[in-house]
Amino acid sequence: MEPATIFRQNGITIISKHNPERRQGRPSKIALVLAGGAITGGAFKAGGLKALDELLSRGRMGDRGPLRLTDFDMFVGLSAGSILASALAGGISAEEIYRTTVGESSRFSPMQLLDFMRPNLREPPERVALFASKVAEILATYISGREDPVTGKPFTARQTILKLAQVVTRLAPTGFFDAEGIRRYLRRQSESSGLPQDFPELRRLRGKSLYITAVELNTGTQVVFGPEEHYEGVPIPDAVAASCGLPFWYRTVRVRNPRAGEPGERRWLDLADGGVVRTTNVGLALKRGADLVIVYNPFTPIRYNVPDRSLHEHGLYALSSQLFRILLGSRLDIGKDKVALDPSIQSDVVYIEPHSADLDFFQMNPLNFWSKRRAAMHGYSSVKAAFESCFDPLRQVLARHGIYLEPIPPRPRPRSDVIRGLA
């Protein structure tokens, strides 16, 4: 096996390992893998996806003509990336997603503040009911004289009071907001546009495979929602809301288990953000046969190279943002090394990330709802510039999968007399 060829420049990383002869004439299976990013990271991706779609539209794929993102075979998303992946899998163009993000779409309404930050009003009454039930259980145990299984003696008043004190903590809600707002927003958009709301139907109607991931809190394991997966019966809006369930920002996302009643299955799936256990899900796409995987991660550490200055001077927010990005970026770097070194992986993987010197995007708070338009526009311009600087390596790797890009025409240079007139 030939060693992997690795290219890195301006936020674009290409790991080339694919041999077209292995396909024996079969078209390449292409997957788009989208990481999280909250509000500004999701908007940044919306802009970058528009730039990627425009790049692909410059070429052709065999007799099919120009390739668009909605033509991909597989879509994998987690957290904010799950919203974009589900839209593309449903046939919504990257241009339409971008227009929706910046509030210029005539077809879809943009996400409103209450969709993103729906107050967690449902959980407090649930918590009170759970608290009352547990208090009744503890008091009944004491009054009945039931024995402590450890000591073999009846529970004492002191033990009972201590247990009651511990139970008080159960009254605290698990998050400030409720991801139900996201679920309702997606359901409204799907119903108004006639988009499929379950995974098998999406594959049947569109011929596309959509996979959404979250983490199951009772087991600490990743859950994959998608066609032919264990929980394929979960509706797409419910799966996306669960994948977006950022811990403590949102309450625990409870999804009705479609397999309830089977051995070992609970009535509810208690879920949180898919980014808790993965930065992206490249491995999921590779295991399902993708020959070309395009990965988009909006959060990478900044390289702060200002002479004799430090991020420390910028305070808590800058440091916490950098540490958060280091965590996500280092996990993804480990994944890149695995792709490059694992001999069983014979696919090409293209990673799209912000430039390490992109201070403008670094300064955008991921949860700032009012920055999404600026983030989307910045994502489009910065990713488009990155593609232009890396066009030849991108054209080479895409050509191995039957995607032939036309050269980007040079930008017209300004006339010298105009420059003199503005001087």
Side-chain angles (χ1 to χ4, degrees):
M1 184 196 75
E2 303 230 348
T5 301
I6 302 176
F7 170 88
R8 288 189 180 94
Q9 182 176 305
N10 294 341
I12 306 297
T13 302
I14 303 173
I15 302 178
S16 304
K17 301 180 69 177
H18 185 69
N19 182 356
E21 295 180 359
R22 294 180 62 251
R23 300 200 308 271
Q24 298 179 340
R26 170 182 61 82
S28 276
K29 190 173 186 179
I30 307 174
L32 180 66
V33 176
L34 301 176
I39 282 291
T40 57
F44 184 88
K45 285 199 299 288
L49 290 173
K50 171 177 159 64
L52 175 60
D53 190 65
E54 290 179 358
L55 175 74
L56 295 174
S57 70
R58 297 192 57 80
R60 57 183 174 80
M61 188 173 186
D63 298 329
R64 291 166 52 180
L67 178 70
R68 311 311 292 249
L69 289 181
T70 50
D71 296 324
F72 281 22
D73 304 288
M74 188 189 313
F75 302 86
V76 183
L78 63 81
S79 195
S82 67
I83 298 177
L84 301 172
S86 61
L88 289 166
I92 302 173
S93 70
E95 172 69 26
E96 191 66 42
I97 291 173
Y98 178 82
R99 293 177 63 83
T100 302
T101 303
V102 299
E104 297 177 355
S105 174
S106 59
R107 180 182 176 191
F108 297 101
S109 60
M111 182 177 288
Q112 301 298 319
L113 181 62
L114 283 178
D115 297 323
F116 175 60
M117 298 172 63
R118 185 184 184 90
N120 182 13
L121 301 178
R122 294 187 304 157
E123 189 178 17
E126 297 172 6
R127 289 270 147 210
V128 171
L130 290 170
F131 171 77
S133 174
K134 190 62 180 178
V135 167
E137 177 187 327
I138 292 172
L139 292 176
T141 298
Y142 174 69
I143 294 170
S144 66
R146 193 177 305 168
E147 294 181 350
D148 183 340
V150 177
T151 64
K153 298 178 182 180
F155 284 99
T156 65
R158 182 174 181 276
Q159 286 177 303
T160 301
I161 292 172
L162 287 174
K163 279 194 170 185
L164 289 172
Q166 292 173 347
V167 170
V168 172
T169 60
R170 300 191 181 195
L171 286 169
T174 56
F176 296 104
F177 304 105
D178 192 339
E180 175 69 10
I182 295 176
R183 188 190 73 82
R184 291 189 180 187
Y185 169 77
L186 294 173
R187 189 173 289 277
R188 288 196 307 270
Q189 302 298 319
S190 299
E191 290 175 350
S192 64
S193 303
L195 298 175
Q197 295 191 45
D198 70 75
F199 294 97
E201 183 186 12
L202 175 63
R203 176 183 274 183
R204 181 177 62 83
L205 294 177
R206 287 262 305 142
K208 311 298 179 184
S209 297
L210 171 66
Y211 299 97
I212 304 297
T213 64
V215 59
E216 216 291 325
L217 294 175
N218 291 296
T219 61
T221 56
Q222 184 186 62
V223 178
V224 179
F225 302 103
E228 300 180 10
E229 298 294 330
H230 188 70
Y231 294 117
E232 72 170 1
V234 171
I236 292 174
D238 294 31
V240 172
S243 189
C244 291
L246 182 66
F248 309 121
W249 180 264
Y250 292 118
R251 63 163 292 181
T252 300
V253 182
R254 309 201 80 192
V255 173
R256 193 175 297 278
N257 188 350
R259 307 190 68 135
E262 298 181 13
E265 295 288 348
R266 296 180 172 88
R267 286 184 302 163
W268 296 91
L269 298 173
D270 293 323
L271 303 162
D273 195 310
V276 171
V277 291
R278 297 284 192 281
T279 298
T280 63
N281 286 298
V282 177
L284 192 155
L286 293 172
K287 289 177 182 177
R288 284 153 184 78
D291 301 299
L292 171 63
V293 182
I294 298 180
V295 190
Y296 199 161
N297 168 48
F299 288 144
T300 55
I302 193 75
R303 290 192 179 274
Y304 192 74
N305 295 323
V306 179
D308 201 31
R309 299 292 297 275
S310 169
L311 282 175
H312 172 76
E313 300 173 26
H314 293 266
L316 178 62
Y317 170 74
L319 290 177
S320 59
S321 179
Q322 178 75 332
L323 290 170
F324 171 69
R325 292 161 187 263
I326 289 172
L327 172 64
L328 296 181
S330 61
R331 291 197 306 185
L332 188 59
D333 287 341
I334 293 172
K336 291 176 184 176
D337 291 341
K338 181 177 180 181
V339 170
L341 299 175
D342 189 340
S344 67
I345 296 175
Q346 294 290 301
S347 303
D348 290 334
V349 184
V350 178
Y351 295 85
I352 304 170
E353 299 174 275
H355 193 287
S356 60
D358 191 344
L359 188 60
D360 288 342
F361 181 60
F362 177 82
Q363 293 174 325
M364 296 184 198
N365 188 324
L367 297 172
N368 187 344
F369 184 81
W370 294 273
S371 293
K372 60 180 181 177
R373 180 183 178 89
R374 183 162 65 97
M377 296 173 67
H378 182 68
Y380 172 73
S381 60
S382 62
V383 172
K384 183 176 181 179
F387 287 157
E388 290 177 355
S389 69
C390 304
F391 180 76
D392 287 338
L394 286 168
R395 181 167 61 170
Q396 292 170 15
V397 72
L398 293 175
R400 283 202 292 275
H401 301 272
I403 306 169
Y404 302 99
L405 301 182
E406 296 294 331
I408 298 177
R411 295 186 180 183
R413 299 184 63 179
R415 290 173 51 188
S416 58
D417 58 333
V418 174
I419 295 177
R420 284 195 299 270
L422 295 175

